[in-house]
Amino acid sequence: MKKNLVILSGAGMSAESGIKTFRDTGGLWEDYSIQEVATPEGYARNPELVIRFYNERRKQLKDVQPNLGHKILGELEEHFNVTIITQNVDNLHERGGSKNIIHLHGELVKVCSTRDPQNPRLVRELAEDAYEVKIGDLADDGSQLRPFIVWFGEPVPKIEEAARMVDTADIFVIIGTSMNVYPAAGLLDYVKPGCEIYLIDPHPVDVKSSLPIHVIRKGASEGMEELKKILLTQ
Ligand code: OAD
């Protein structure tokens, strides 16, 4: 029987694809402050700027490719039941071949209603040739379309589903996240006794857990190559 492999990924997963991480660049996201572009207050203050910012992020998706790390995770589905829990809003896990992906913080390729952002009936996926949202584009409830992103201060509706998956893990892998943002970072508390835990990151990560963790101090691609070898020779 295949083992359950559960991954928690963060911005570092996509760094080698050319997407900047958050905390490696002094709290700025592509030169904007998180307050400006990743909070409901920032959006209320300047919706034009926020909508333009996410249009640019969406445009960037067309210029980037999944890296070897994403691809190895896709390939591992042959050997394991893989679930990816990602804090990333890009679509590189999908494009790397992974099938079961929980996007904790939303998805760039989707838009939703400003009035009722988490109502699943009002969420829509944009076609690749229609990635640009304009002021005046409306959701089905008549309010402005906004990015389908979980901003700071907003509830994280997928966290319970993610916690249930972590609870089923035989192997849990943390990759490319500074483990600063909750509730995502708290998912480690849901691993069951006996679960093997790996952490892949080129920099030290302060993980608050007393559980034994195998640290692979490497970037996503090299780190996933090493992990693949370990997992397939066990
Ligand atoms: P961070 O920017 O906080 O952390 C990125 C991590 O990736 C750090 O630990 C880096 O050392 C590591 N890293 C850098 N290069 C890497 C590489 N080549 N391979 C592997 N790892 C590498 O990003 P997150 O932890 O993802 O939220 O941040 C969590 C959330 O905070 C994000 O989802 C976002 C952000 O503000 C929202 O947008 C709601």
Side-chain angles (χ1 to χ4, degrees):
M1 220 175 67
K2 284 182 180 176
K3 285 185 174 174
N4 295 335
L5 172 61
V6 178
I7 313 292
L8 173 63
S9 70
M13 182 80 225
S14 300
E16 289 158 27
S17 296
I19 299 181
K20 285 188 195 158
T21 61
F22 299 93
R23 286 165 192 82
D24 293 326
T25 51
L28 294 184
W29 189 1
E30 300 285 349
D31 302 329
Y32 291 83
S33 85
I34 285 178
Q35 279 306 318
E36 256 180 308
V37 296
T39 64
E41 295 78 17
Y43 178 56
R45 259 194 309 273
N46 195 343
E48 289 85 357
L49 173 107
V50 175
I51 284 175
R52 189 169 20 132
F53 174 80
Y54 287 94
N55 283 342
E56 283 163 16
R57 304 279 71 71
R58 242 175 253 122
K59 207 166 130 204
Q60 184 188 27
L61 284 184
K62 297 186 187 175
D63 301 328
V64 296
Q65 300 299 331
N67 62 52
L68 184 60
H70 294 108
K71 289 181 193 160
I72 292 176
L73 282 171
E75 289 162 17
L76 284 175
E77 295 199 357
E78 226 181 278
H79 307 275
F80 299 92
N81 300 315
V82 183
T83 303
I84 313 270
I85 302 167
T86 186
Q87 298 165 81
N88 299 343
V89 295
D90 63 52
N91 57 4
L92 293 176
H93 278 302
E94 284 85 348
R95 289 161 57 194
S98 291
K99 299 280 181 302
N100 304 314
I101 305 166
I102 300 174
H103 279 277
L104 280 181
H105 293 162
E107 290 175 73
L108 273 178
V109 296
K110 294 184 179 171
V111 287
C112 60
S113 141
T114 292
R115 190 180 305 134
D116 193 3
Q118 297 194 337
N119 183 339
R121 284 195 304 271
L122 298 173
V123 175
R124 194 191 300 167
E125 183 156 347
L126 297 170
E128 217 184 303
D129 57 359
Y131 268 181
E132 195 172 326
V133 175
K134 297 189 183 64
I135 293 287
D137 291 349
L138 303 181
D140 286 346
D141 65 352
S143 72
Q144 172 66 42
L145 278 182
R146 65 160 254 191
F148 181 58
I149 305 288
V150 176
W151 287 325
F152 283 95
E154 295 189 317
V156 181
K158 297 259 170 90
I159 196 70
E160 280 162 25
E161 183 190 353
R164 278 197 300 277
M165 291 319 296
V166 175
D167 181 57
T168 68
D170 300 304
I171 305 157
F172 184 58
V173 181
I174 300 166
I175 175 164
T177 170
S178 62
M179 298 292 271
N180 266 300
V181 172
Y182 284 80
L187 285 170
L188 180 55
D189 297 337
Y190 290 85
V191 296
K192 58 177 189 278
C195 173
E196 282 172 56
I197 307 171
Y198 294 87
L199 184 145
I200 301 174
D201 202 295
H203 305 119
V205 178
D206 182 19
V207 178
K208 288 164 194 67
S209 171
S210 55
L211 299 168
I213 298 178
H214 309 270
V215 177
I216 300 176
R217 185 68 67 77
K218 290 188 173 161
S221 297
E222 262 191 278
M224 278 309 306
E225 278 185 303
E226 183 167 329
L227 180 69
K228 180 180 164 185
K229 270 194 213 127
I230 297 171
L231 296 181
L232 296 186
T233 50
Q234 270 177 356

